[in-house]
Amino acid sequence: MPPSFYHSEAPFNHRRSVLLPLLEPGDYTERRVPEGPLVVSNHPFPSPDRSLKLNMATVGNSTNIFWHDCPVGRHERQKLLDQKGCVVWITGLSGSGKSTLACSLSRELHAKGKLSYVLDGDNLRHGLNKDLGFKVEDRTENIRRVGEVAKLFADAGLICIASLISPYRKDRDACRAMLPASSFIEVYMNMPLELCEERDAKGLYKLARAGKIKGFTGIDDPYEPPLNCEIELSQQDGVCPPPGTMAGRVVTYLEEKGFLEYK
Amino acid sequence: MSVIQQEKRISLYGSCDIPKLSLPMSLMIRDPSSVLAFDAVGGAQDPIGVPIRFRASSQKARWISLSGFTRLDDLIKSPTGRHGLSALSVPVKARMSEEGRMNSRVNEKYGVIAGKSLNGLSDVGNSTNIRWHNCPVQKADRQELLQQKGCVIWITGLSGSGKSTVACSLSRILHSREKLSYILDGDNVRHGLNRDLGFNPEDRAENIRRIGEVAKLFADAGLICIASLISPSRKDRDACRALLHEGAFIEVFMDVPLQVCEARDPKGLYKLARAGKIKGFTGIDDPYEPPIDSEIVLRQKEQGYDSPSDMAEIIVSYLDEKGYLNA
């Protein structure tokens, strides 16, 4: 074989050719899928024994898919970051201060050397969810997708801060069910409609009252407050606490529950 | 310099390519009762495109007709404009919301200018009235914390070419060098986010799009995101490349011939496809479009072999060279 086929002698340029092994068909015998009907299995997280489990499954509309385990798992990443991955789900009316809280929280965590990422409903609607509108089905799909992405971020070891109105209880609970118990921290921005409308940070309440926007949460679409959230933030004596204070409360909660260290 | 005033409710929407834009056109303002004080600024602040904002001479102007100018250049050259407008021209991506198209009261002769209305709201795709929210902690801060730069490594190739294997090896090597990475495996993501998608061409395209968007988010978070999926369509892969800035999208092509993949058949899928039990299987009865210009090509050789970790090392040295393993 001419020496140029061997990568160690190949010229160093941006296109690196590496020559793959020609594997014998028997190399994967112990991992072959047994003959017979498809086995539907649930693999939410990599298995402890780390072997390449090739159990074929059908999930939703995706047929003939496998779960690929990998040596670097959640625990290794959390150890590297010295924190535990989780999802902080901030819900509330438009203008209740979710994005503001998310940003404050992100800043507080960053100051403590913890890695977090904000999934803002509006920001995601610029990218991943730009094909979704505001009808009921689209809102449900929006919340589902944000929940799935937040789950991936939590699996990566980050503290994922999701901030979106998410008005329907059923959808929020579905996201809660996607994560292991206690990794889903629901924060309810319990600000009265009058306050949100008075602020009207984006001018949307005005448009909604004028009938320019249909199906606007709080005006002509329901908001279902959480029944069992981990943290509830509301006015103290009719005054809204500053964002830093509210972020501090969430950070304290995370610290108490052990998310800000790896043990 | 008079501004045409009309007592009408109108809204700002839509966008257009500046070079293609030609006047006369109408600019409609979203909230007529609020103060209309567009600034004459251009600049890539908004990730959905570049906004153009216009200054109206009158505080209460509602309807600004730009007729009389034949080209936007004319508008720019006369800074205050015939109608009291000053504007700067900047390139804008063409995108128009469904609502905008449906609610359009202008015909094809008129173009519409992209922009932010006063309160900063815009429409993207089907999402109306949304505003980009900036956060104090930016990508650079996260990169500083992690001591690495976020990027997307997109591993593409036929089923059985070794994508997931290389992805795992790569992840392990990066972890041993204390770099944070995350794998978005096509199959794994189809267990969760993309569980509602099948394997027909539209669903494949949507699968690739969604993974591309999520990979972009991970790269923004500062992680080295390793996406490993067949992604047979060149157009879809290039669309994902376009989501990220120059150099942050590293395409790795697993150049393994079909015969070798079929001989391996690690999941028994080729057998099922040949038997006709799976329809539209890539390589058998669905095309695979290899990349023309990928950053890294991993090719098979005829005798001897390199282990997946050797191949992963190639990718790691590429990342090192390009500076992704440092802040």
Side-chain angles (χ1 to χ4, degrees), chain A residues 1 5-7 12-25 28 31-33 35 38 41-43 54 56-57 59-72 76-77 79-81 99-100 102-104 106-108 110 113-134 138 141 144-146 148-149 151-153 155-156 158 201-204 206-207 210 212-213, chain B residues 9 30-31 33 46-48 95 119 121-122 124-137 141-142 145-146 161 164-165 168 171-172 175 178-185 187-188 190-199 206 209-210 213-214 217-218 220-221 223 254 256 260 263-267 269 271-272 278 292-307 310-311 314 317-318 321-322:
Chain A
M1 291 295 277
F5 280 95
Y6 298 95
H7 83 282
F12 196 82
N13 56 27
H14 78 289
R15 284 173 69 100
R16 305 300 294 272
S17 298
V18 177
L19 306 170
L20 285 179
L22 180 63
L23 294 171
E24 296 301 311
Y28 286 89
R31 293 166 186 156
R32 258 192 211 289
V33 173
E35 301 293 296
L38 292 177
S41 57
N42 268 326
H43 290 279
L54 289 168
M56 196 145 69
V59 178
N61 285 339
S62 292
T63 51
N64 303 316
I65 55 173
F66 290 78
W67 184 268
H68 295 121
D69 282 340
C70 206
V72 176
E76 283 82 2
R77 285 186 291 265
K79 191 170 176 185
L80 182 65
L81 290 171
S99 302
T100 315
C103 288
S104 283
S106 178
R107 204 185 23 224
E108 300 281 324
H110 190 261
K114 302 300 164 192
L115 187 65
S116 65
Y117 194 68
V118 177
L119 294 177
D120 187 284
D122 270 7
N123 291 8
L124 275 152
R125 278 178 179 276
H126 276 90
L128 177 66
N129 293 343
K130 67 174 173 237
D131 58 325
L132 301 174
F134 287 94
D138 282 352
E141 177 63 5
R144 183 194 77 87
R145 285 192 203 168
V146 175
E148 292 282 2
V149 175
K151 174 183 169 180
L152 292 173
F153 272 94
D155 189 48
L158 280 84
K202 301 192 242 178
L204 295 171
K206 192 181 241 159
L207 294 173
K212 297 278 132 200
I213 305 176
Chain B
R9 296 276 174 184
R30 186 184 301 280
D31 187 357
S33 55
D46 195 310
I48 61 164
R95 204 176 314 188
N119 41 16
L121 295 176
S122 47
V124 179
N126 286 339
S127 291
T128 52
N129 300 315
I130 54 174
R131 178 165 68 174
W132 187 269
H133 204 278
N134 270 324
C135 212
V137 178
D141 304 309
R142 287 186 285 266
L145 184 64
L146 290 170
S161 51
S164 303
T165 317
C168 283
S171 171
R172 201 163 23 88
H175 187 262
E178 300 199 332
K179 300 300 162 194
L180 187 65
S181 64
Y182 194 67
I183 300 179
L184 291 176
D185 187 288
D187 271 4
N188 292 6
R190 278 178 179 276
H191 273 86
L193 176 66
N194 292 346
R195 59 168 58 214
D196 58 325
L197 302 175
F199 287 92
E206 179 63 6
R209 183 195 77 87
R210 286 192 204 168
E213 292 280 3
V214 175
L217 293 173
F218 271 98
D220 189 49
L223 278 83
M254 303 293 296
V256 181
V260 176
R264 289 175 184 171
D265 206 4
K267 304 189 239 181
L269 295 173
K271 189 176 191 175
L272 293 173
I278 305 177
I292 301 167
D293 226 345
S294 54
E295 279 75 9
I296 302 174
V297 177
L298 301 177
R299 201 169 277 126
Q300 187 227 356
K301 86 175 165 190
E302 280 171 34
Q303 64 187 62
Y305 55 87
D306 286 317
S307 64
D310 290 341
M311 294 186 288
I314 300 296
S317 53
Y318 178 91
E321 238 182 282
K322 299 288 175 183

Side-chain angles (χ1 to χ4, degrees), chain A residues 154-176:
Chain A
D155 189 48
L158 280 84
I159 295 166
C160 182
I161 307 161
S163 114
L164 51 166
I165 300 178
S166 47
Y168 311 126
R169 209 173 280 141
K170 186 166 77 102
D171 300 329
R172 292 193 303 260
D173 291 345
C175 291
R176 185 187 279 277

Side-chain angles (χ1 to χ4, degrees), chain A residues 173-190:
Chain A
D173 291 345
C175 291
R176 185 187 279 277
M178 286 178 206
L179 282 129
S182 80
S183 290
F184 186 87
I185 298 144
E186 197 168 14
V187 177
Y188 174 36
M189 297 295 289
N190 188 8

Side-chain angles (χ1 to χ4, degrees), chain B residues 37-140:
Chain B
F38 291 110
D39 292 321
V41 193
Q45 292 164 22
D46 195 310
I48 61 164
V50 178
I52 305 171
R53 291 181 268 182
F54 295 86
R55 185 183 300 282
S57 64
S58 159
Q59 294 277 305
K60 293 283 188 245
R62 289 177 180 87
W63 228 94
I64 300 172
S65 164
L66 304 175
S67 61
F69 289 92
T70 51
R71 292 172 53 81
L72 191 62
D73 292 342
D74 294 346
L75 187 66
I76 297 154
K77 281 174 200 151
S78 63
T80 49
R82 196 184 292 188
H83 298 283
L85 291 170
S86 52
L88 283 175
S89 164
V90 283
V92 174
K93 279 204 189 338
R95 204 176 314 188
M96 193 116 160
S97 67
E98 276 307 308
E99 200 191 69
R101 257 184 246 121
M102 286 191 315
N103 292 342
S104 175
R105 283 160 54 210
V106 297
N107 57 29
E108 291 308 306
K109 244 180 14 171
Y110 297 85
V112 182
I113 301 174
K116 283 185 168 178
S117 67
L118 300 164
N119 41 16
L121 295 176
S122 47
D123 296 341
V124 179
N126 286 339
S127 291
T128 52
N129 300 315
I130 54 174
R131 178 165 68 174
W132 187 269
H133 204 278
N134 270 324
C135 212
V137 178
Q138 301 280 324
K139 184 178 184 182

Side-chain angles (χ1 to χ4, degrees), chain A residues 44-56:
Chain A
F45 288 100
S47 66
D49 69 3
R50 307 270 180 249
S51 62
L52 186 66
K53 280 218 173 78
L54 289 168
N55 297 311
M56 196 145 69

